[in-house]
Structures are given as structure tokens and as C-alpha cells.
Amino acid sequence: MRILGALATALSLLLWPALAVAQDYPNRTIRLIVPFPAGGPNDIIARVVGQRITELTKQAVVIDNRSGQGGVIGTDVVAKAAPDGYTIGIVSAGALAISPTMENVPYDPSKDLQPVTLVAKVPEMLVVTSDVPASNMKELVALARAEPGKLNFASTGPGGLPHLAGELFKLAAKVDIVHVPYRGAAPAINDLLGHQVQMTFLDLPILLPQIKAGSLKPIAIGSPQRAAAAMDVPTTAEVGMPEVLAENWYGMVAPGATPPAIIAALNKIATEAIRDPAVKEKLATQGADLIGDTPEHFRTFIASETTKWAKVIKDANIQTEK
């Protein structure tokens, strides 16, 4: 009994510093890494959630945009940061579940990053520029088949979900369209509006203003149901391509060695922010479905998404850099 008591005392002494830190967390500014440029869907979601975290904790949340390589560069910043809970990231499916299969990324998602919570899912929408002579899926497929290699599709970068959605479309429609990667959604949109590229699959929130302005024409949405923010746009299943299901997602992660007590504190704060009615309403109007789950559930979700997209990469014969 004395030995057990001594072990219990030693264990409590070991755990006490981490628990004490967690109880005091956060007590200073949190840096929130966004691995895409300002103005894109990842940035919009992070800013809304980050602002609510600031209100809840009374500590500033500073957005740090670190774009490049389809989100890999910014995600690596999180992986290599001090594991103290003061540098975290809200990153996309591409950097966590796609790029690690396609290329040599400088981090191991399962070891160098700790899942905190799945923040949001956002459906991908297929759009074309206003000068493309196609207004529905049938017309677009016919045009692409008539002019193989002539249509370009933009993405947020190699290995991002918009890239994989475009590759899925190519497989399903049996068309030859050319991938043009960008460093995020905002520059891709700029070149779409400048008619440098003709089509894209992108997150619904970033496309809605341009659709409403008549600059882009919606073709289909890659989710199982129509989006409340665009009820007049059919799903890919409704237009004969049920296999082209593509929903982007964004999750909060921390450096891999972050203590479990800090991860638990972060999860509590983040999920409270995500589930706030004002936050949900603000982002729902842009097509985002807010989640807020446990670290364990998010870890399982990442693993399942990795398996799913690895199959697409293989089936589409996408060239990797491994």
C-alpha cells in the first residue's frame, strides 16, 4: 500500500504542472495559422471562429496567413511550433488527408499534429465563367468532349480538395480538362473573373458573391443534398454524376507534442465557439455546416478521409511526388 501511495503521489506531481497550465489556459495571445490567403473560405471560417474564441477567453486570437503548396506550408508551421497551445491552426482536408498521400510533405499528420476538433464542412460547387457556352452539366460535358484539352480548371493547389474534385469530374465525365493550381481560392477566383481559366470546383462561400453578380455560372454542387444558400443549384447526383461527391472540411489542429490537458482545454473552447448560434448563423448563410466534435472523433475522421482520397488518387492516376 505504501508503494501504491508513493506511486500515486509521484504521478500526481508529474501531472500537476500540465493540469495547472491547462487551468490557466489561455493567458496570452493565440496565433491561429490559416494555410491559405486572406479572403478565402479557410480564412473566413477561421476569422469568425477566432473572433468568438477571443470573446470567450478575453485573449486575442491573431490570424496568421501562411499560404502555399495547397495548405502544406501553413500546416507545417503548426507542426513545428512550440507545443504550448499558443500556436494552432485551422487547416483543410488537402493538407491533412490528401497531400500526405500525393507528395513528400514535411510532417506526419498522425504524429506531428494533434487533432482538436472538426470545425466545418463546406460543399464544393462546380462553376464556369460567364463566357463559357454551357449553363448545365450536359452542355459542359458536351463542350469538354468536343474540345479536349481546351478547358482549364482552377484549384487551390495540388492535393487540395478542389483539385481532387476536378479529377473526380474528369473520371466521371470522361473528359480531358487541364488542371491549373493556385496558392489558394482568392487568386483562383481572380483568374476566373479575368477569364484566364474557365471552370473550377471551389468551396461554396467563396463562389456565392460572384454567382450572385453573374460573373460565374453554377453547374452543380458536390454534396448529397442541395445547399440552403443555393437551393436552385442541383447536386451532382441530380445531374447524373453521383460519384462526384466532394465536400471540403476544415479542422483545428495543434503541434503533436501538445499536452492532452491543453488539447482538452482547446477543444472545450473551440467547440463552444463553433456551436455558438451567432457563429453558426453567420457561416451557414455562406454554405458552411459547423461541426465541433471530440479530438478522438476528428482523428478517426481524418483516417477515413485519407483512405477515401487515396483511392481517388490511384483511380485517377494522379502523379505524385513521393
Side-chain angles (χ1 to χ4, degrees):
M1 291 298 292
R2 289 180 179 177
I3 294 173
L4 289 175
L7 287 172
T9 300
L11 181 61
S12 66
L13 289 173
L14 287 171
L15 292 176
W16 185 85
L19 292 173
V21 168
Q23 288 173 354
D24 192 40
Y25 176 85
N27 60 17
R28 56 186 171 89
T29 298
I30 296 172
R31 181 172 63 143
L32 179 54
I33 303 295
V34 176
F36 289 99
N42 197 158
D43 182 73
I44 293 169
I45 290 169
R47 289 180 188 276
V48 173
V49 173
Q51 177 58 38
R52 184 58 184 145
I53 290 175
T54 292
E55 294 166 359
L56 290 170
T57 64
K58 311 303 180 187
Q59 299 294 335
V61 174
V62 177
I63 303 297
D64 187 354
N65 296 90
R66 297 293 190 94
S67 63
Q69 204 177 337
V72 168
I73 290 175
T75 304
D76 188 47
V77 172
V78 180
K80 290 180 170 53
D84 55 10
Y86 291 97
T87 297
I88 58 177
I90 291 182
V91 305
S92 69
L96 293 178
I98 299 174
S99 288
T101 301
M102 288 183 59
E103 59 183 320
N104 287 315
V105 298
Y107 54 85
D108 182 337
S110 65
K111 297 178 181 178
D112 300 329
L113 295 163
Q114 281 280 4
V116 176
T117 186
L118 178 59
V119 175
K121 292 181 180 179
V122 181
E124 300 296 280
M125 182 181 283
L126 173 60
V127 298
V128 297
T129 55
S130 57
D131 61 337
V132 171
S135 298
N136 56 50
M137 185 65 81
K138 184 178 180 180
E139 292 174 354
L140 179 60
V141 171
L143 177 65
R145 288 176 178 170
E147 300 180 352
K150 294 289 184 67
L151 294 179
N152 298 325
F153 78 95
S155 82
T156 53
L161 204 140
H163 175 201
L164 271 290
E167 297 292 346
L168 265 178
F169 171 72
K170 287 173 64 175
L171 281 174
K174 298 179 174 60
V175 295
D176 177 15
I177 55 177
V178 180
H179 176 222
V180 180
Y182 289 85
R183 291 170 64 95
I189 287 287
N190 286 339
D191 270 12
L192 279 161
L193 298 179
H195 303 283
Q196 304 302 311
V197 287
Q198 294 77 45
M199 58 188 291
T200 190
F201 267 99
L202 282 179
D203 290 13
L204 180 58
I206 195 70
L207 295 172
L208 283 175
Q210 309 305 332
I211 291 170
K212 291 175 181 177
S215 303
L216 298 173
K217 295 187 288 186
I219 300 298
I221 193 164
S223 56
Q225 297 86 29
R226 293 194 182 200
M231 285 299 293
D232 56 333
V233 180
T235 66
T236 48
E238 289 178 292
V239 295
M241 292 191 183
E243 61 270 66
V244 186
L245 279 178
E247 288 185 293
N248 208 347
W249 49 265
Y250 300 93
M252 182 178 289
V253 293
T258 305
I262 295 292
I263 295 296
L266 259 174
N267 177 265
K268 184 176 183 296
I269 295 165
T271 53
E272 185 176 351
I274 291 163
R275 293 169 183 170
D276 182 271
V279 170
K280 291 178 77 74
E281 182 180 0
K282 187 176 291 186
L283 291 174
T285 57
Q286 300 194 56
D289 180 19
L290 287 242
I291 309 296
D293 61 358
T294 65
E296 296 75 21
H297 185 274
F298 185 27
R299 185 183 298 279
T300 301
F301 177 78
I302 293 170
S304 67
E305 286 285 288
T306 300
T307 300
K308 169 186 172 179
W309 291 111
K311 184 178 186 304
V312 173
I313 291 166
K314 180 179 179 181
D315 292 348
N317 194 29
I318 300 172
Q319 296 301 308
T320 68
E321 297 177 15
K322 279 191 175 289

